[in-house]
Amino acid sequence: MDPPAAKRSRGCPAGPEERDAGAGAVRCRGRPEALLDLSAKRVAESWAFEQVEERFSRVPEPVQKRIVFWSFPRSEREICMYSSLGYQPPEGEHDARVPFTRGLHLLQSGAVDRVLQVGFHLSGNVREPGGPGEPERLYHVSISFDRCKITSVSCGCDNRDLFYCAHVVALSLHRIRHAHQVELRLPISETLSQMNRDQLQKFVQYLISAHHTEVLPTAQRLADEILLLGSEINLVHGAPDPTAGAGIEDANCWHLDEEQIQEQVKQLLSNGGYYGASQQLRSMFCKVREMLRMRDSNGARMLILMTEQFLQDPRLALWRQQGAGMTDKCRQLWDELGALWVCVILSPHCKPEERTSWLQLLSKWDKLDVCPLEEGNYSFDGPSLQPTAALIPELLQKGSTCITNMEGWVGHPLDPIGCLCRALLEACRLEEETLAIYPDSGPEKRKVAYQHVPVPGSPGESYLAMALEVALLGLGQQRALPDGLYAQDKVVRNEEQLLALLEEVELDERLVQVLRKQAGQLLEGGPFSGFGEVLFRESVPMHTCARYLFTALLPHDPDLAYRLALRAMRLPVLETAFPAGEPPSNPLDSIMSNRFPRWFILGHLETRQCELASAMLTAAKGDPKWLHAVLGSIQQNIHSPALLFKLAQDACKTATPASAPPDTTLLGIALELGLQVMRMTLNTMTWRRREMVRWLVSCATEIGPQALMNIMQNWYSLFTPVEAATIVAVTGTTHATLLRLQLDAARREELWACARTLALQCAMKDPQNCALPALTLCEKNQAAFEAAYQIVLDAAAGGLGHAHLFTVARYMEHRGLPLRAYKLATLALAQLSIAFNQDSHPAVNDVLWACSLSHSLGRHELSAIVPLIIRSIHCAPMLSDILRRWTLSAPGLGPLGARRAAKPLGADRAPLCQLLDAAVAAYITTSHSRLTHISPRHYSDFIEFLGKARETFLLAPDGHLQFAQFLENLKQTYKGKKKLMLLVRERFG
């Protein structure tokens, strides 16, 4: 960033007569000071100090000083722009690392001193505090400037970044804010022209003496050349002066370190996979936009440098060789690059020769093999928009048989609508006096203000109105959805960006008229409008645009707003797939996954459709006409049950504010949408069904008892039997619900009767899952309870499983009906079968409970259940456990306090003798079965098993003898298992 050695050759000093005259010189003798400053300012902004045939010395000295004074940049905004790139602090925070912020703090702390301006060269020292334990650092800063632009900078910190360091910022701000405190000198050539020979010789010798180690070789070389009459240096008139500024024909632009820009872009592209790299590149794009907005020629220079580095990205060649597409992040960066070139080329402020050179560059880059192509089909030979058959949960008549596919303006790679809209809005931007240009000015985002700017040659037109018209024309165009995920996502992003721009514009009466006019034209636009009557299957939906128009038009023309939004509710790609009334196969999920693989963003589009419908429902509250119109549109066009359920929830919430009475019409619509969701998802069991059912009951409760009874009476088409019995009937009769409804006794009984009828119907349809809820609900009504009990008995014969029967039986015992519990338990045992090796069968506890119940009822019930136990249970440990439990106490109605039998039953007497025989036989059978395939590691378990068997054998009078015979049989039969038989002898003899 070193300044150039010299700017221009300066001539010899002019005579006194030339100082007051000169063809083009600024002549200010006798002018007031204000006019003198104004003239100097104009000269400083247009050229330096000389014209083609004039010398600076011809200008009077007061004017010379004023021109030098006014040539330094007077706005801090440019300093900020050239010193605030490269750091992106988190939103709402201020990063002290930003060079402009650091430079401002250094200035405010008094760190700048020894500031001297010689001609167009500014220098000074900046002191920066060191870190903990470090000394203060001193940096020497030099700045060259020309025509109110900084043209080169140099700082001792050697901190190479894209733009200026904090020390350059501090010195520049010092010059702007404290200009009259800066020592001001004319260019050094003017000072030298006032010296005689002795003074010049003394000046040179002192300069060499002060810096002899650095400049002595250069001074000797220059002296040798000057003394040589034919040398090149003697052929040039005058001598270079680094402080004299440039000539009018010289380039004039802000300092830009091109090498550093190229290096940083290259480095960021190499780290393209990281989020921070993409953000840094986007911040550089934003800096280009800022330069273009300020008409800074460096904007195009910087964009050229960035483009060249983008084209040198090694990944481009790799992707081309592999036939793979770019990553999404890279595509987005290339899109922004292309959009910036559109802005540059279309800029009305660029010169024709500049535009020609840029177009040549673009043409050259386009011919490179690695130059990427835009994704998506935007040509006229792409797929045509196909009308639905009907238009052919019409074209023929109009004389039109086909429509050529139109190029989509929104989502186009070059974003023509976005560029044009931004350009028009930029012309209308109202710059506030308190414009925040400093990074630390506050976290609040400044609201952009616009004003109407007349269009020259078009009376009544304004650029602001044109921006609105252009955006609506592009957004409302009927266009085919492009191929590819990225191209479709680009369509969505471009729409959102355009609408974000429009939402910043405050609508006045003039713009409202534009809105109404454009909305009417969109409705009558025919096949070229996305709001027209004829809409084709592949068309991009208008939901997002329609939501903006609806919100904007509603306060001014509600009828037009609703007509436009209702027309935009269509989603033709789904309408042609499912005829009216035919639900999709998997409604809760987005149907695009299986049926529409090309519509990658269908889920997003359905969500936008839902948001439009929600906006209309909310706005139509209190207006039955529009509420029913919106309901009809929702039922016809929205095919996703999840979104319909969300709409129902939103409508119910809007209809029941906390501080106002409910809107019954909107509540009814919410209920109707909920009923539609129930019908659509009846055969699709998902985790959200329970939530949906509970919400529907709650919504019906808000409306009133009749709505609640209606869904109970029509449950077949809405709910599964389990949902109806366990959620609808139960929730609809809870204490909280009854309090909410505030019913009298008759109406409360009517609701209860409806719930009981529902429960009985569910129990008949699905007794396994609904019998117990039905019994619970019918407890307080004897007739209904008996009916539910009979349903369970009938279902037992029809295949109701033993687990459900045991559950209902336990319920009956808990309710004080032991005989009914016993009846159901025997039915369950009749269906049960537990094999010899199923010690841990799930029904073990149920069997033991049934046996305990029968024992408590008396000897008769126990005798009746023994054959069932013997027939169903073949597991020896279970049989012996049951037998032992029954021998501990006498049978009888123990729980009810009745007298027990005189003494406990004996195992060798009826009815337990049958169970004892069955247990002994089970042990014998199980022993042989286990010994058939036993391994040595299970010997110890088998010995323990025989120990339990002996306990059971001993319950019989001759049990000891039977067990001995059993063991002897084992020893003879399995004598080959010597180790096992040895263990048997050691334990049992």
PDB file of all heavy atoms in Angstrom, residues 619-638:
ATOM      1  N   ALA A 619     -59.014 -12.656   8.715  1.00  0.00           N
ATOM      2  CA  ALA A 619     -59.565 -11.359   8.292  1.00  0.00           C
ATOM      3  C   ALA A 619     -61.080 -11.404   8.156  1.00  0.00           C
ATOM      4  O   ALA A 619     -61.758 -10.385   8.342  1.00  0.00           O
ATOM      5  CB  ALA A 619     -58.935 -10.943   6.969  1.00  0.00           C
ATOM      6  N   ALA A 620     -61.632 -12.575   7.829  1.00  0.00           N
ATOM      7  CA  ALA A 620     -63.077 -12.677   7.581  1.00  0.00           C
ATOM      8  C   ALA A 620     -63.878 -12.897   8.856  1.00  0.00           C
ATOM      9  O   ALA A 620     -65.104 -13.085   8.776  1.00  0.00           O
ATOM     10  CB  ALA A 620     -63.342 -13.822   6.593  1.00  0.00           C
ATOM     11  N   LYS A 621     -63.244 -12.887   9.999  1.00  0.00           N
ATOM     12  CA  LYS A 621     -63.967 -13.078  11.255  1.00  0.00           C
ATOM     13  C   LYS A 621     -65.088 -12.041  11.379  1.00  0.00           C
ATOM     14  O   LYS A 621     -64.880 -10.842  11.207  1.00  0.00           O
ATOM     15  CB  LYS A 621     -62.996 -12.939  12.423  1.00  0.00           C
ATOM     16  CG  LYS A 621     -63.652 -13.101  13.790  1.00  0.00           C
ATOM     17  CD  LYS A 621     -62.639 -12.906  14.905  1.00  0.00           C
ATOM     18  CE  LYS A 621     -63.319 -13.005  16.262  1.00  0.00           C
ATOM     19  NZ  LYS A 621     -62.379 -12.791  17.380  1.00  0.00           N
ATOM     20  N   GLY A 622     -66.284 -12.541  11.661  1.00  0.00           N
ATOM     21  CA  GLY A 622     -67.435 -11.653  11.774  1.00  0.00           C
ATOM     22  C   GLY A 622     -68.159 -11.409  10.474  1.00  0.00           C
ATOM     23  O   GLY A 622     -69.163 -10.689  10.448  1.00  0.00           O
ATOM     24  N   ASP A 623     -67.680 -11.984   9.380  1.00  0.00           N
ATOM     25  CA  ASP A 623     -68.306 -11.800   8.065  1.00  0.00           C
ATOM     26  C   ASP A 623     -68.684 -13.178   7.513  1.00  0.00           C
ATOM     27  O   ASP A 623     -67.877 -13.842   6.859  1.00  0.00           O
ATOM     28  CB  ASP A 623     -67.340 -11.096   7.120  1.00  0.00           C
ATOM     29  CG  ASP A 623     -68.023 -10.646   5.823  1.00  0.00           C
ATOM     30  OD1 ASP A 623     -69.030 -11.268   5.446  1.00  0.00           O
ATOM     31  OD2 ASP A 623     -67.540  -9.689   5.198  1.00  0.00           O
ATOM     32  N   PRO A 624     -69.914 -13.676   7.780  1.00  0.00           N
ATOM     33  CA  PRO A 624     -70.295 -15.029   7.369  1.00  0.00           C
ATOM     34  C   PRO A 624     -70.162 -15.269   5.870  1.00  0.00           C
ATOM     35  O   PRO A 624     -69.809 -16.382   5.447  1.00  0.00           O
ATOM     36  CB  PRO A 624     -71.749 -15.135   7.827  1.00  0.00           C
ATOM     37  CG  PRO A 624     -71.889 -14.113   8.919  1.00  0.00           C
ATOM     38  CD  PRO A 624     -70.968 -12.997   8.536  1.00  0.00           C
ATOM     39  N   LYS A 625     -70.424 -14.245   5.076  1.00  0.00           N
ATOM     40  CA  LYS A 625     -70.356 -14.422   3.621  1.00  0.00           C
ATOM     41  C   LYS A 625     -68.967 -14.870   3.191  1.00  0.00           C
ATOM     42  O   LYS A 625     -68.787 -15.895   2.513  1.00  0.00           O
ATOM     43  CB  LYS A 625     -70.726 -13.119   2.928  1.00  0.00           C
ATOM     44  CG  LYS A 625     -70.445 -13.124   1.434  1.00  0.00           C
ATOM     45  CD  LYS A 625     -70.556 -11.727   0.854  1.00  0.00           C
ATOM     46  CE  LYS A 625     -70.031 -11.686  -0.586  1.00  0.00           C
ATOM     47  NZ  LYS A 625     -70.034 -10.325  -1.154  1.00  0.00           N
ATOM     48  N   TRP A 626     -67.950 -14.113   3.598  1.00  0.00           N
ATOM     49  CA  TRP A 626     -66.587 -14.439   3.172  1.00  0.00           C
ATOM     50  C   TRP A 626     -66.048 -15.657   3.911  1.00  0.00           C
ATOM     51  O   TRP A 626     -65.237 -16.420   3.363  1.00  0.00           O
ATOM     52  CB  TRP A 626     -65.667 -13.248   3.375  1.00  0.00           C
ATOM     53  CG  TRP A 626     -65.891 -12.148   2.394  1.00  0.00           C
ATOM     54  CD1 TRP A 626     -66.263 -10.870   2.647  1.00  0.00           C
ATOM     55  CD2 TRP A 626     -65.777 -12.253   0.968  1.00  0.00           C
ATOM     56  NE1 TRP A 626     -66.393 -10.157   1.491  1.00  0.00           N
ATOM     57  CE2 TRP A 626     -66.089 -10.984   0.423  1.00  0.00           C
ATOM     58  CE3 TRP A 626     -65.457 -13.281   0.094  1.00  0.00           C
ATOM     59  CZ2 TRP A 626     -66.081 -10.715  -0.930  1.00  0.00           C
ATOM     60  CZ3 TRP A 626     -65.449 -13.017  -1.269  1.00  0.00           C
ATOM     61  CH2 TRP A 626     -65.758 -11.757  -1.776  1.00  0.00           C
ATOM     62  N   LEU A 627     -66.498 -15.877   5.150  1.00  0.00           N
ATOM     63  CA  LEU A 627     -66.043 -17.057   5.878  1.00  0.00           C
ATOM     64  C   LEU A 627     -66.447 -18.342   5.153  1.00  0.00           C
ATOM     65  O   LEU A 627     -65.634 -19.258   4.992  1.00  0.00           O
ATOM     66  CB  LEU A 627     -66.621 -17.057   7.297  1.00  0.00           C
ATOM     67  CG  LEU A 627     -65.888 -16.199   8.331  1.00  0.00           C
ATOM     68  CD1 LEU A 627     -66.623 -16.212   9.661  1.00  0.00           C
ATOM     69  CD2 LEU A 627     -64.453 -16.668   8.524  1.00  0.00           C
ATOM     70  N   HIS A 628     -67.682 -18.402   4.679  1.00  0.00           N
ATOM     71  CA  HIS A 628     -68.125 -19.604   3.971  1.00  0.00           C
ATOM     72  C   HIS A 628     -67.460 -19.716   2.602  1.00  0.00           C
ATOM     73  O   HIS A 628     -67.182 -20.836   2.133  1.00  0.00           O
ATOM     74  CB  HIS A 628     -69.643 -19.597   3.831  1.00  0.00           C
ATOM     75  CG  HIS A 628     -70.347 -19.903   5.126  1.00  0.00           C
ATOM     76  ND1 HIS A 628     -70.863 -18.926   5.951  1.00  0.00           N
ATOM     77  CD2 HIS A 628     -70.582 -21.084   5.761  1.00  0.00           C
ATOM     78  CE1 HIS A 628     -71.410 -19.483   7.014  1.00  0.00           C
ATOM     79  NE2 HIS A 628     -71.247 -20.793   6.924  1.00  0.00           N
ATOM     80  N   ALA A 629     -67.178 -18.579   1.980  1.00  0.00           N
ATOM     81  CA  ALA A 629     -66.457 -18.632   0.701  1.00  0.00           C
ATOM     82  C   ALA A 629     -65.046 -19.169   0.897  1.00  0.00           C
ATOM     83  O   ALA A 629     -64.550 -19.996   0.112  1.00  0.00           O
ATOM     84  CB  ALA A 629     -66.416 -17.238   0.076  1.00  0.00           C
ATOM     85  N   VAL A 630     -64.387 -18.713   1.958  1.00  0.00           N
ATOM     86  CA  VAL A 630     -63.031 -19.202   2.248  1.00  0.00           C
ATOM     87  C   VAL A 630     -63.060 -20.688   2.606  1.00  0.00           C
ATOM     88  O   VAL A 630     -62.197 -21.457   2.172  1.00  0.00           O
ATOM     89  CB  VAL A 630     -62.398 -18.374   3.389  1.00  0.00           C
ATOM     90  CG1 VAL A 630     -61.055 -18.963   3.794  1.00  0.00           C
ATOM     91  CG2 VAL A 630     -62.219 -16.923   2.954  1.00  0.00           C
ATOM     92  N   LEU A 631     -64.052 -21.104   3.387  1.00  0.00           N
ATOM     93  CA  LEU A 631     -64.175 -22.514   3.744  1.00  0.00           C
ATOM     94  C   LEU A 631     -64.311 -23.391   2.500  1.00  0.00           C
ATOM     95  O   LEU A 631     -63.649 -24.429   2.372  1.00  0.00           O
ATOM     96  CB  LEU A 631     -65.376 -22.721   4.665  1.00  0.00           C
ATOM     97  CG  LEU A 631     -65.711 -24.179   5.002  1.00  0.00           C
ATOM     98  CD1 LEU A 631     -64.566 -24.834   5.754  1.00  0.00           C
ATOM     99  CD2 LEU A 631     -67.004 -24.269   5.797  1.00  0.00           C
ATOM    100  N   GLY A 632     -65.174 -22.971   1.582  1.00  0.00           N
ATOM    101  CA  GLY A 632     -65.336 -23.743   0.351  1.00  0.00           C
ATOM    102  C   GLY A 632     -64.047 -23.851  -0.435  1.00  0.00           C
ATOM    103  O   GLY A 632     -63.717 -24.911  -0.980  1.00  0.00           O
ATOM    104  N   SER A 633     -63.284 -22.747  -0.495  1.00  0.00           N
ATOM    105  CA  SER A 633     -62.020 -22.771  -1.218  1.00  0.00           C
ATOM    106  C   SER A 633     -61.018 -23.693  -0.537  1.00  0.00           C
ATOM    107  O   SER A 633     -60.276 -24.423  -1.205  1.00  0.00           O
ATOM    108  CB  SER A 633     -61.457 -21.352  -1.316  1.00  0.00           C
ATOM    109  OG  SER A 633     -60.220 -21.346  -1.988  1.00  0.00           O
ATOM    110  N   ILE A 634     -60.977 -23.659   0.785  1.00  0.00           N
ATOM    111  CA  ILE A 634     -60.057 -24.529   1.528  1.00  0.00           C
ATOM    112  C   ILE A 634     -60.384 -25.990   1.274  1.00  0.00           C
ATOM    113  O   ILE A 634     -59.505 -26.805   0.985  1.00  0.00           O
ATOM    114  CB  ILE A 634     -60.126 -24.201   3.034  1.00  0.00           C
ATOM    115  CG1 ILE A 634     -59.507 -22.830   3.313  1.00  0.00           C
ATOM    116  CG2 ILE A 634     -59.425 -25.276   3.854  1.00  0.00           C
ATOM    117  CD1 ILE A 634     -59.694 -22.362   4.732  1.00  0.00           C
ATOM    118  N   GLN A 635     -61.663 -26.333   1.372  1.00  0.00           N
ATOM    119  CA  GLN A 635     -62.061 -27.722   1.177  1.00  0.00           C
ATOM    120  C   GLN A 635     -61.789 -28.202  -0.239  1.00  0.00           C
ATOM    121  O   GLN A 635     -61.532 -29.383  -0.467  1.00  0.00           O
ATOM    122  CB  GLN A 635     -63.546 -27.882   1.517  1.00  0.00           C
ATOM    123  CG  GLN A 635     -63.836 -27.677   3.005  1.00  0.00           C
ATOM    124  CD  GLN A 635     -65.308 -27.733   3.314  1.00  0.00           C
ATOM    125  OE1 GLN A 635     -66.146 -27.259   2.537  1.00  0.00           O
ATOM    126  NE2 GLN A 635     -65.658 -28.318   4.450  1.00  0.00           N
ATOM    127  N   GLN A 636     -61.828 -27.300  -1.183  1.00  0.00           N
ATOM    128  CA  GLN A 636     -61.608 -27.686  -2.576  1.00  0.00           C
ATOM    129  C   GLN A 636     -60.139 -27.768  -2.943  1.00  0.00           C
ATOM    130  O   GLN A 636     -59.743 -28.615  -3.756  1.00  0.00           O
ATOM    131  CB  GLN A 636     -62.307 -26.684  -3.498  1.00  0.00           C
ATOM    132  CG  GLN A 636     -62.124 -26.995  -4.983  1.00  0.00           C
ATOM    133  CD  GLN A 636     -62.809 -25.965  -5.852  1.00  0.00           C
ATOM    134  OE1 GLN A 636     -63.486 -25.075  -5.353  1.00  0.00           O
ATOM    135  NE2 GLN A 636     -62.628 -26.079  -7.153  1.00  0.00           N
ATOM    136  N   ASN A 637     -59.291 -26.937  -2.333  1.00  0.00           N
ATOM    137  CA  ASN A 637     -57.924 -26.783  -2.829  1.00  0.00           C
ATOM    138  C   ASN A 637     -56.831 -27.318  -1.928  1.00  0.00           C
ATOM    139  O   ASN A 637     -55.726 -27.590  -2.414  1.00  0.00           O
ATOM    140  CB  ASN A 637     -57.642 -25.287  -3.089  1.00  0.00           C
ATOM    141  CG  ASN A 637     -58.505 -24.719  -4.206  1.00  0.00           C
ATOM    142  OD1 ASN A 637     -58.403 -25.129  -5.353  1.00  0.00           O
ATOM    143  ND2 ASN A 637     -59.372 -23.784  -3.860  1.00  0.00           N
ATOM    144  N   ILE A 638     -57.076 -27.444  -0.635  1.00  0.00           N
ATOM    145  CA  ILE A 638     -56.027 -27.923   0.264  1.00  0.00           C
ATOM    146  C   ILE A 638     -56.209 -29.420   0.471  1.00  0.00           C
ATOM    147  O   ILE A 638     -57.277 -29.879   0.877  1.00  0.00           O
ATOM    148  CB  ILE A 638     -56.059 -27.173   1.608  1.00  0.00           C
ATOM    149  CG1 ILE A 638     -55.742 -25.691   1.380  1.00  0.00           C
ATOM    150  CG2 ILE A 638     -55.051 -27.768   2.584  1.00  0.00           C
ATOM    151  CD1 ILE A 638     -55.633 -24.871   2.626  1.00  0.00           C
TER     152      ILE A 638
END
